[in-house]
Amino acid sequence: MHYRFIILILLISLISGIQLVLAQTEVPSTANNKETSQTKFIDHFEWIRGNNSNIHEFHVVGGYSFHSSRGFWGKIPKGNLGVLGLRYNRKILELNNIHTIEYVSELNISVHYSLSPTKFEYGSGEFSGFGGTPLGFQINLGKRNVIQPFFKTSTGFMYFKRPFPDERGRKFNFTLELGGGVEYMISQNFSFTLGYKYHHMSNFFLGTINPGIDSNIFYTGITIF
């Protein structure tokens, strides 16, 4: 039941992002309204050919969450999280030749949680490991603009050297990320990114306890096309 909500949030996020970029596209003239209304939704999209320039993106990304909260899912407060990762984006679709939809995959080569003791009787201490998000999607608004807002969602895992948050938990945990930011195009082949993402992690009830932890991660990175 827990991860049915995660799947639902992923779908809502993707649909909401598509609706937002559609709302920002140019409204057709009155003469073309009838013809446009008969156009299938899928006709707004066009596959990006593999031989197009800048179809692949390689990122170096670092982020930090100063304080976890007892949020929508997570029950563990006072947790700091630092992440350093490598990300790969592949442009897959264009929307009205204005916006892009990209597949996203990320390898978190360094993950570190620091949990402080609390009254909720969950574990405390330092937890180090690694992770990855093999399934993600990103929508960039205005592919020709110097500053491009984007929305991103992804799901994956984290693995630690010891069970999280204590011996009642698991070393292997699942993650969900929802967020966005802005990408500043410094040149045709180089950009700088500032972003935020709501990050949830839990063991999917595979451990004796499954409190989960919610973090607000602020991150920055550079991109090479």
Side-chain angles (χ1 to χ4, degrees):
M1 179 65 69
H2 180 75
Y3 266 74
R4 292 180 183 175
F5 289 106
I6 292 181
I7 295 172
L8 178 61
I9 290 295
L10 281 170
L11 291 175
I12 293 174
S13 176
L14 183 58
I15 293 172
S16 298
I18 292 174
Q19 290 176 336
L20 177 63
V21 294
L22 278 174
Q24 294 188 357
T25 57
E26 184 179 357
V27 178
S29 63
T30 305
N32 294 329
N33 279 345
K34 183 177 180 180
E35 179 182 352
T36 303
S37 65
Q38 296 175 350
T39 302
K40 293 181 180 179
F41 176 75
I42 195 64
D43 292 339
H44 291 279
F45 296 90
E46 180 180 353
W47 291 100
I48 298 177
R49 297 180 181 179
N51 59 358
N52 284 16
S53 60
N54 300 337
I55 191 173
H56 303 287
E57 302 178 8
F58 301 93
H59 309 249
V60 178
V61 182
Y64 192 79
S65 173
F66 295 93
H67 201 284
S68 64
S69 60
R70 290 174 59 82
F72 187 70
W73 288 309
K75 306 302 180 184
I76 303 176
K78 298 183 179 180
N80 300 333
L81 170 61
V83 180
L84 177 64
L86 303 175
R87 182 189 299 167
Y88 167 73
N89 286 32
R90 203 273 191 189
K91 297 181 177 69
I92 54 177
L93 286 170
E94 287 185 349
L95 176 58
N96 292 337
N97 199 31
I98 299 175
H99 314 295
T100 59
I101 298 178
E102 306 176 4
Y103 163 77
V104 182
S105 178
E106 189 168 352
L107 173 64
N108 296 317
I109 57 179
S110 177
V111 176
H112 185 83
Y113 273 101
S114 178
L115 302 185
S116 299
T118 68
K119 64 180 181 180
F120 299 103
E121 299 182 355
Y122 297 126
S124 61
E126 309 296 319
F127 298 82
S128 297
F130 65 93
T133 55
L135 180 60
F137 295 95
Q138 179 173 313
I139 300 175
N140 274 50
L141 307 181
K143 67 175 185 178
R144 296 183 180 87
N145 297 338
V146 174
I147 297 179
Q148 301 178 14
F150 66 86
F151 300 93
K152 177 179 173 290
T153 180
S154 59
T155 184
F157 70 93
M158 284 185 176
Y159 184 84
F160 299 97
K161 296 179 181 179
R162 61 190 181 100
F164 184 95
D166 58 30
E167 294 301 322
R168 297 170 295 173
R170 305 282 292 189
K171 294 181 179 180
F172 187 90
N173 291 266
F174 298 91
T175 63
L176 172 68
E177 300 177 345
L178 301 169
V182 293
E183 186 173 358
Y184 176 67
M185 305 301 297
I186 299 175
S187 69
Q188 185 178 358
N189 303 106
F190 189 77
S191 70
F192 176 75
T193 298
L194 286 174
Y196 160 82
K197 56 186 176 183
Y198 179 87
H199 182 276
H200 172 76
M201 186 186 76
S202 68
N203 62 41
F204 195 23
F205 298 99
L206 297 178
T208 305
I209 62 171
N210 181 42
I213 183 168
D214 291 345
S215 304
N216 297 291
I217 300 177
F218 298 89
Y219 64 93
T220 184
I222 57 173
T223 304
I224 300 174
F225 298 89

